[in-house]
Amino acid sequence: MAESEGAQRIDGKAIAESIHQSISQEVATLKERYGKVPGLAVVIVGERKDSQTYVRMKRKACLDVGIKSFEADLPATATEEEILDQVLELNANDEVHGILVQLPLPKHVNERKVLTAISIEKDVDGFHPLNIGNLTMKGRDPLFCPCTPKGCIELLKRSGVTISGKRAVVVGRSNIVGMPVALMLNNLDATVTIVHSRTKDPESIIKEADILIAAAGQPLMIKGDWIKPGAAVIDVGTNAVDDSTKKSGYRLVGDVDYKEAKKVAGYITPVPGGVGPMTIAMLLQNTLDSAKRGFAKEAA
Amino acid sequence: MAESEGAQRIDGKAIAESIHQSISQEVATLKERYGKVPGLAVVIVGERKDSQTYVRMKRKACLDVGIKSFEADLPATATEEEILDQVLELNANDEVHGILVQLPLPKHVNERKVLTAISIEKDVDGFHPLNIGNLTMKGRDPLFCPCTPKGCIELLKRSGVTISGKRAVVVGRSNIVGMPVALMLNNLDATVTIVHSRTKDPESIIKEADILIAAAGQPLMIKGDWIKPGAAVIDVGTNAVDDSTKKSGYRLVGDVDYKEAKKVAGYITPVPGGVGPMTIAMLLQNTLDSAKRGFAKEAA
């Protein structure tokens, strides 16, 4: 009952699942038509627990929808050259339509150099500067949009939120979320403001947002009374905070005070179960799109 | 007297001249040290009167500061391949440190293809998507920033306007001015909003700007009472409006109502004589910087 009085909860988990289903169907159709399936290579270097979890989730998601998963696991001691060689080998492999290098890489490796080595035609993470340049420029289209920002836009669209002409505020300006989502909202004709750590009085700016994307990585930074009544709130933050009532000793919270914000907002994503599941769904979508381009080219 | 009551007039012409002078000195120093001078190639296709005027101004500015000007004048009937060949030839020419293709190109030519063919190390216009991508991404630096946006920032800095932490509003989102200047302001820690043709109630947003960059190409669109008292106003607009009292039959006006705005603003650029002269100054600066990189590399 409380829920129905306030914001519509955007169920990212359910939306991601329905995207997985339609990808699964498309993969089956491709297999029938071309006798081939899309392939995604996930490169991991070293044994960070969190990275291993993410990579396992991505590989499992591939299997679930019928995308072929290529594993490239390098030891933490791998040299930059060995990693670059691995990327070049995957660039040359026709069965691989997407390459993702799990970040962070070990400190002795130049991350930028490795990411820039990925063929832009397989850059399913969308972080190659040429893809970002084409996302920034009017009249050009990137081959891929970064997955988490693309997931945010998808959640808005599937919830029936109009973007064109709306005031959008993006909190955070990272390469991975804040900046690309701001560019995508601008491309969709929202009037966008980017709020960041140097912004004075962020509250007054956030209060004007019809669409709020919170991607600051600051637990519960955005209070309920900062939300404009009826606003669509997409919370990208996933912050672990101590919680002695949990077995694990912590719980996950967003950048937005969900409990208070949902009383005011029109639409809101929970954490977890909001943006999180969309990132992998969009990764699969980018891989599928890449494979479709590849198969069409080969068939031509 | 009226002037002293209101905004400080930012004299772009004088600032550009002082930049020309210091470039001229640096060119002389380079010539002494390396026995070589920077080179700029300006490619023009066809005989549009306005393009010819711009190209002539650019070439003359080169001569004035001691930069060697390479002329590449192609007929309006030149094929795309001929233009591309010309660009590739200039890419390979060690004496050329900057290549600028005057736009617009004739309709039968793919402008994007030609611009992307320019070596990013000679892209003094800063429009290559890889340069724009690197401008967009935190932790990366483009080899060149687009000239007009760079000129706007230079005017603010030389006028002593603080950018970090300020609210900046950019009116217009073109590839050439609006978008790159917004990115540059964000990189300098301003809180940036981009206002465009689909923005509802632009007046209320513009009123909050400590720094206003007007690049909409809409004559006198921004009224005096839209300006926040004390704001720094950079007017990129250069619009010809009918004026029967002039011999030419027209006069140039900006996007801002200068007469009214200067009563309220803290700083303001006139049109003409504000941003205009800075574009060529920044083009020369980009060419100089490119030559310095080239000479240092050759000497290493």
Side-chain angles (χ1 to χ4, degrees):
Chain A
M1 279 305 283
E3 191 91 10
S4 70
E5 285 168 25
Q8 183 186 317
R9 184 172 161 278
I10 301 181
D11 187 342
K13 201 158 167 268
I15 293 175
E17 268 164 25
S18 100
I19 293 172
H20 283 220
Q21 271 173 28
S22 64
I23 290 175
S24 183
Q25 284 163 12
E26 283 208 66
V27 169
T29 308
L30 287 175
K31 195 172 177 178
E32 213 166 281
R33 182 157 167 199
Y34 297 105
K36 289 183 276 194
V37 296
L40 174 67
V42 181
V43 179
I44 178 170
V45 183
E47 315 203 327
R48 283 178 63 119
K49 281 269 173 311
D50 55 347
S51 292
Q52 286 186 321
T53 306
Y54 295 137
V55 166
R56 201 163 41 235
M57 285 166 67
K58 289 168 187 175
R59 288 174 177 167
K60 185 181 172 299
C62 282
L63 292 182
D64 287 349
V65 300
I67 290 177
K68 187 168 173 186
S69 172
F70 290 77
E71 309 199 353
D73 295 40
L74 299 171
T77 54
T79 64
E80 189 174 292
E81 211 183 325
E82 285 167 338
I83 303 171
L84 285 170
D85 281 348
Q86 178 64 74
V87 168
L88 296 182
E89 194 188 309
L90 293 166
N91 279 347
N93 185 339
D94 284 346
E95 282 189 86
V96 173
H97 303 96
I99 302 170
L100 181 153
V101 176
Q102 185 66 39
L103 301 182
L105 290 170
K107 284 219 177 94
H108 65 278
V109 179
N110 185 336
E111 222 167 74
R112 246 194 291 176
K113 214 164 155 187
V114 172
L115 292 183
T116 310
I118 298 173
S119 157
I120 69 152
E121 298 189 343
K122 300 189 179 186
D123 175 38
V124 283
D125 247 347
F127 295 149
H128 193 292
L130 204 49
N131 272 325
I132 295 290
N134 285 329
L135 174 63
T136 304
M137 296 173 84
K138 212 186 286 190
R140 294 186 184 243
D141 284 311
L143 288 169
F144 303 100
C145 285
C147 300
T148 304
K150 187 171 173 169
C152 296
I153 302 292
E154 198 66 31
L155 288 178
L156 291 170
K157 285 187 173 170
R158 289 188 184 234
S159 305
V161 175
T162 306
I163 296 173
S164 175
K166 294 299 177 70
R167 289 290 303 269
V169 174
V170 176
V171 185
R173 51 177 167 172
S174 69
N175 287 337
I176 294 172
V177 186
M179 183 54 82
V181 84
L183 295 170
M184 291 170 82
L185 287 165
N186 173 72
N187 290 346
L188 292 166
D189 292 330
T191 300
V192 183
T193 305
I194 300 182
V195 162
H196 50 73
S197 55
R198 302 299 187 85
T199 297
K200 285 175 191 153
D201 192 14
E203 178 181 341
S204 73
I205 300 171
I206 289 167
K207 274 183 169 162
E208 294 182 5
D210 302 308
I211 295 169
L212 175 64
I213 314 279
Q218 298 292 332
L220 309 180
M221 166 195 161
I222 296 166
K223 309 300 170 203
D225 62 0
W226 295 18
I227 306 293
K228 180 174 174 177
V233 178
I234 306 290
D235 192 352
V236 186
T238 310
N239 313 287
V241 295
D242 291 338
D243 186 342
S244 58
T245 72
K246 301 272 175 183
K247 240 200 213 160
S248 59
Y250 71 89
R251 68 177 202 283
L252 294 179
V253 301
D255 290 353
V256 178
D257 183 343
Y258 180 81
K259 232 165 121 183
E260 294 303 314
K262 79 167 186 207
K263 296 178 189 163
V264 192
Y267 305 82
I268 189 166
T269 60
V271 175
V275 176
M278 292 299 288
T279 300
I280 288 187
M282 293 300 105
L283 174 65
L284 301 177
Q285 184 71 55
N286 277 349
T287 305
L288 172 65
D289 292 345
S290 179
K292 279 157 84 175
R293 277 195 292 262
F295 295 162
K297 219 189 263 177
E298 285 170 26
Chain B
M1 277 304 284
E3 194 92 7
S4 70
E5 286 167 25
Q8 183 186 317
R9 184 172 160 277
I10 300 180
D11 187 342
K13 201 157 166 267
I15 293 175
E17 268 165 23
S18 102
I19 293 172
H20 283 220
Q21 269 174 27
S22 64
I23 291 174
S24 182
Q25 283 163 12
E26 284 210 65
V27 169
T29 308
L30 287 175
K31 194 172 178 180
E32 214 166 281
R33 184 160 167 197
Y34 297 105
K36 289 184 275 193
V37 295
L40 175 67
V42 181
V43 179
I44 178 169
V45 183
E47 316 205 326
R48 281 178 64 118
K49 280 269 172 310
D50 55 347
S51 292
Q52 286 185 322
T53 303
Y54 294 135
V55 167
R56 202 164 39 235
M57 286 167 66
K58 290 168 188 174
R59 289 174 177 166
K60 185 179 172 301
C62 283
L63 292 181
D64 288 348
V65 299
I67 289 177
K68 188 169 172 186
S69 172
F70 291 78
E71 309 201 349
D73 296 41
L74 299 171
T77 53
T79 64
E80 189 174 291
E81 212 184 325
E82 284 167 337
I83 303 171
L84 285 170
D85 281 346
Q86 177 65 72
V87 168
L88 296 182
E89 194 187 311
L90 293 167
N91 279 348
N93 185 340
D94 284 345
E95 282 189 86
V96 173
H97 303 97
I99 302 170
L100 182 153
V101 175
Q102 185 65 41
L103 302 181
L105 289 170
K107 286 217 175 94
H108 65 278
V109 179
N110 184 335
E111 222 166 73
R112 249 196 291 178
K113 213 165 157 186
V114 172
L115 292 183
T116 310
I118 297 172
S119 157
I120 70 151
E121 298 189 344
K122 301 189 178 186
D123 176 38
V124 283
D125 247 347
F127 295 150
H128 193 292
L130 204 49
N131 273 325
I132 295 290
N134 285 329
L135 175 64
T136 304
M137 295 172 86
K138 214 187 286 192
R140 295 186 182 243
D141 285 311
L143 290 168
F144 303 99
C145 285
C147 300
T148 303
K150 187 172 175 169
C152 296
I153 302 292
E154 199 64 32
L155 289 177
L156 291 170
K157 285 187 173 169
R158 291 189 183 234
S159 305
V161 175
T162 306
I163 296 173
S164 176
K166 296 298 177 67
R167 291 289 304 270
V169 174
V170 176
V171 185
R173 52 177 167 172
S174 69
N175 288 338
I176 293 172
V177 186
M179 183 53 82
V181 84
L183 296 169
M184 292 171 82
L185 288 165
N186 174 72
N187 290 346
L188 293 165
D189 291 331
T191 300
V192 183
T193 305
I194 301 182
V195 162
H196 49 73
S197 56
R198 301 299 186 86
T199 297
K200 284 176 191 153
D201 191 14
E203 177 181 342
S204 72
I205 301 172
I206 290 168
K207 274 183 169 161
E208 293 182 7
D210 302 308
I211 295 169
L212 175 65
I213 314 280
Q218 298 291 333
L220 309 180
M221 164 195 163
I222 297 166
K223 309 300 171 202
D225 61 359
W226 295 18
I227 307 293
K228 181 176 175 177
V233 178
I234 306 290
D235 191 352
V236 187
T238 310
N239 313 288
V241 295
D242 292 338
D243 186 342
S244 58
T245 71
K246 301 269 176 186
K247 238 198 212 161
S248 58
Y250 71 89
R251 69 177 201 282
L252 293 179
V253 300
D255 290 353
V256 178
D257 183 343
Y258 180 81
K259 232 164 123 184
E260 294 302 315
K262 79 166 187 209
K263 296 179 190 162
V264 192
Y267 305 82
I268 190 165
T269 59
V271 174
V275 176
M278 293 299 288
T279 300
I280 288 187
M282 294 299 105
L283 174 65
L284 300 177
Q285 184 71 55
N286 277 349
T287 305
L288 172 64
D289 293 345
S290 179
K292 279 157 84 176
R293 278 196 292 262
F295 294 160
K297 219 188 261 175
E298 285 171 25

